[in-house]
């Protein structure tokens, strides 16, 4: 395949060097200077992407957009990937990595260069009582009963894997009186019982705004409390289930900080649903006002044709812009990139050092 640089040089030659006749005034040295002159990267700001992509990034009439090159990932392979998969199946555990068809599953499970594998465990089963239009997790009004052994099995697995940072998330269980908060808390306690030094992040549902349920999870001793706002307020009813409310999500995060001021709070925003810049800015401001310490921004990717289509593929440069905005707003940590997810390689994020150094007040 011809590289972008070669294409650009061909463009230079085709548009700036005309066939030289015997009477041409362009010398050989001048032609060499044109050919070997400034390249495209010399006209871009430092750190900007030099990827030339001629494809469409915005959907004008609902057509399906082609995946841009910066969102293409490797096929999952590697010893750690298969080891984790076998371990999960044997203990009857689920991961949001698989259920939500996360594009980073290969990198996280295989562990990358340092082979430090990361997986986000999804507790309370693999069936959700809600039907958000961006999510591929199975849904049902009456999902199976909770597995009473799941807290122990989860703790056994993460300690066996030798992780130093684990993310626990869950489906919504509106069918349960407490939304599953007791089960969530038991899982945290079982992990801490086996490894007190392991950092635990809990990415919770909204528990229908029930403050007692939020407090039950917090009192179990997690190091990070996360709940995702997901999208801007104006698109909330389109993207999420009608029981998930924008202000309710902010109230969950706000109450978590009030109940346990030392806890690190975190939220995530998906881009690509057709949101405007001022709406993203407003959402980030709302999260800061709710006391959120860390925010992640990533690209929404349509899991199947039955789900919401992508309205826009946001460029890497624009994600860098939102990272700068987050830093200027005062978030202690902002992760922003096309493939960033709320729990993507959590153990390697700045948040780990922030917790260990106890810089959060």
């Amino acid at each position: 395949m011809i590289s972008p640089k070669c294409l650009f040089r061909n463009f230079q030659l085709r548009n700036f060097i005309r066939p030289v006749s015997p009477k041409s005034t362009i010398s050989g040295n001048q032609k060499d200077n044109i050919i070997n002159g400034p390249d495209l990267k010399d006209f871009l700001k430092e750190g900007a992407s030099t990827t030339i992509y001629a494809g469409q990034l915005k959907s004008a009439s609902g057509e399906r957009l082609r995946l841009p090159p910066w969102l293409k990932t490797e096929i999952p392979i590697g010893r750690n990937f298969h080891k984790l998969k076998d371990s999960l199946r044997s203990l009857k555990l689920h991961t949001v990595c698989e259920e939500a068809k996360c594009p980073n599953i290969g990198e996280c499970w295989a562990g990358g260069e340092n082979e430090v594998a990361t997986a986000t465990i999804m507790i309370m089963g693999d069936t959700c009582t809600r039907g958000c239009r961006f999510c591929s997790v199975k849904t049902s009004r009456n999902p199976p009963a909770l597995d009473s052994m799941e807290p122990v099995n989860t703790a056994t697995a993460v300690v066996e894997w030798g992780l130093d940072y684990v993310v626990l998330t869950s489906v919504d269980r509106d069918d349960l009186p407490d939304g599953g908060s007791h089960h969530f808390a038991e899982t945290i306690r079982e992990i801490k019982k086996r490894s007190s030094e392991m950092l635990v992040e809990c990415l919770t549902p909204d528990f229908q705004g029930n403050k007692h349920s939020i407090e039950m999870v917090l009192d179990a001793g997690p190091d990070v409390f996360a709940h995702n706002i997901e999208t801007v307020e104006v698109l909330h009813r389109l993207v999420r289930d009608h029981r998930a409310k924008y202000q309710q999500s902010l109230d969950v995060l706000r109450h978590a900080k009030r109940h346990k001021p030392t806890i690190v709070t975190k939220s995530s925003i998906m881009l690509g649903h057709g949101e405007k810049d001022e709406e993203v800015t407003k959402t980030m401001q709302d999260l800061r006002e709710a006391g959120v310490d860390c925010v992640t921004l990533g690209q929404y990717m349509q899991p199947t044709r039955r789900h919401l289509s992508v309205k826009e593929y946001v460029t890497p440069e624009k994600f860098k812009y939102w990272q700068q905005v987050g830093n200027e707003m005062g978030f202690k940590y902002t992760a922003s990139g096309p493939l960033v997810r709320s729990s993507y390689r959590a153990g390697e994020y700045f948040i780990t050092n922030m917790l260990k150094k106890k810089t959060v007040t």
Side-chain angles (χ1 to χ4, degrees):
M1 188 175 73
I2 300 176
S3 69
K5 186 172 182 178
C6 291
L7 288 173
F8 185 73
R9 290 208 183 284
N10 289 340
F11 173 80
Q12 287 177 315
L13 290 168
R14 186 171 61 251
N15 290 278
F16 297 105
I17 300 180
R18 298 181 181 181
V20 181
S21 68
K23 296 181 180 180
S24 173
T25 59
I26 300 178
S27 68
N29 288 337
Q30 287 174 320
K31 285 189 290 181
D32 290 339
N33 288 337
I34 292 173
I35 294 172
N36 299 311
D39 203 345
L40 176 61
K41 63 185 179 182
D42 297 311
F43 297 94
L44 295 175
K45 294 182 179 179
E46 184 179 353
S49 172
T50 57
T51 301
I52 298 175
Y53 179 63
Q56 190 175 350
L57 292 177
K58 289 188 178 183
S59 176
S61 56
E63 71 274 25
R64 189 178 176 89
L65 298 173
R66 292 177 64 87
L67 198 68
W70 57 80
L71 286 172
K72 295 179 180 179
T73 56
E74 297 292 331
I75 297 173
I77 55 174
R79 184 176 69 255
N80 283 340
F81 176 85
H82 295 294
K83 178 182 177 182
L84 256 65
K85 194 177 184 77
D86 291 342
S87 178
L88 287 163
R89 296 296 81 82
S90 67
L91 291 170
K92 299 180 180 180
L93 298 177
H94 304 279
T95 67
V96 72
C97 320
E98 296 173 289
E99 302 297 336
K101 304 183 189 304
C102 180
N104 302 310
I105 188 171
E107 182 180 352
C108 288
W109 284 26
E113 294 181 0
N114 57 14
E115 295 192 355
V116 178
T118 301
T120 299
I121 303 297
M122 188 169 73
I123 61 175
M124 297 198 285
D126 64 348
T127 305
C128 187
T129 54
R130 298 188 185 180
C132 296
R133 297 185 65 198
F134 69 87
C135 182
S136 63
V137 174
K138 293 185 294 186
T139 63
S140 172
R141 291 182 179 179
N142 298 297
L146 296 179
D147 178 1
S148 61
M149 288 302 297
E150 189 175 53
V152 172
N153 286 341
T154 300
T156 300
V158 297
V159 172
E160 178 185 317
W161 296 338
L163 306 179
D164 60 2
Y165 191 116
V166 62
V167 182
L168 298 177
T169 189
S170 76
V171 292
D172 280 279
R173 292 298 301 259
D174 298 309
D175 59 313
L176 303 174
D178 68 345
S181 58
H182 176 75
H183 192 84
F184 219 119
E186 278 299 302
T187 306
I188 297 170
R189 279 192 283 266
E190 288 293 340
I191 293 173
K192 289 291 187 179
K193 185 191 302 181
R194 289 164 174 76
S195 178
S196 60
E197 295 183 355
M198 183 178 293
L199 300 176
V200 179
E201 175 181 326
C202 55
L203 174 57
T204 75
D206 58 28
F207 299 120
Q208 300 185 63
N210 187 306
K211 293 182 179 179
H212 178 69
S213 293
I214 299 167
E215 292 169 6
M216 185 175 295
V217 173
L218 289 165
D219 292 343
D223 301 280
V224 180
F225 181 91
H227 173 68
N228 290 344
I229 197 76
E230 303 293 10
T231 188
V232 299
E233 186 171 15
V234 70
L235 295 177
H236 225 69
R237 289 297 299 271
L238 171 68
V239 175
R240 304 188 72 187
D241 185 279
H242 68 277
R243 286 162 288 187
K245 301 175 178 62
Y246 184 83
Q247 288 300 327
Q248 181 169 271
S249 288
L250 288 176
D251 288 342
V252 168
L253 290 160
R254 188 177 291 112
H255 184 70
K257 201 66 171 179
R258 288 174 178 170
H259 181 71
K260 194 173 182 180
T262 58
I263 195 78
V264 175
T265 52
K266 180 180 171 185
S267 194
S268 183
I269 306 170
M270 292 180 294
L271 302 184
H273 288 297
E275 62 284 330
K276 299 177 182 178
D277 283 4
E278 56 268 27
E279 294 167 348
V280 177
T281 301
K282 177 62 165 55
T283 302
M284 294 174 74
Q285 290 172 338
D286 289 343
L287 291 173
R288 279 299 297 130
E289 290 171 3
V292 172
D293 298 302
C294 308
V295 64
T296 67
L297 298 95
Q299 173 70 53
Y300 165 64
M301 295 172 69
Q302 184 180 11
T304 73
R305 290 183 179 273
R306 295 184 294 103
H307 293 84
L308 282 175
S309 60
V310 178
K311 297 296 183 184
E312 178 183 4
Y313 283 123
V314 181
T315 65
E317 289 79 11
K318 193 56 178 285
F319 275 109
K320 289 180 182 178
Y321 165 78
W322 288 121
Q323 183 169 346
Q324 181 180 348
V325 171
N327 292 337
E328 292 173 352
M329 282 187 184
F331 287 102
K332 291 181 171 66
Y333 174 67
T334 303
S336 180
L339 290 174
V340 167
R341 295 296 180 265
S342 59
S343 55
Y344 173 52
R345 294 188 70 76
E348 294 184 15
Y349 275 164
F350 172 78
I351 193 171
T352 302
N353 291 328
M354 185 173 70
L355 283 165
K356 290 183 177 179
K357 293 177 181 178
K358 298 181 180 180
T359 59
V360 178
T361 58

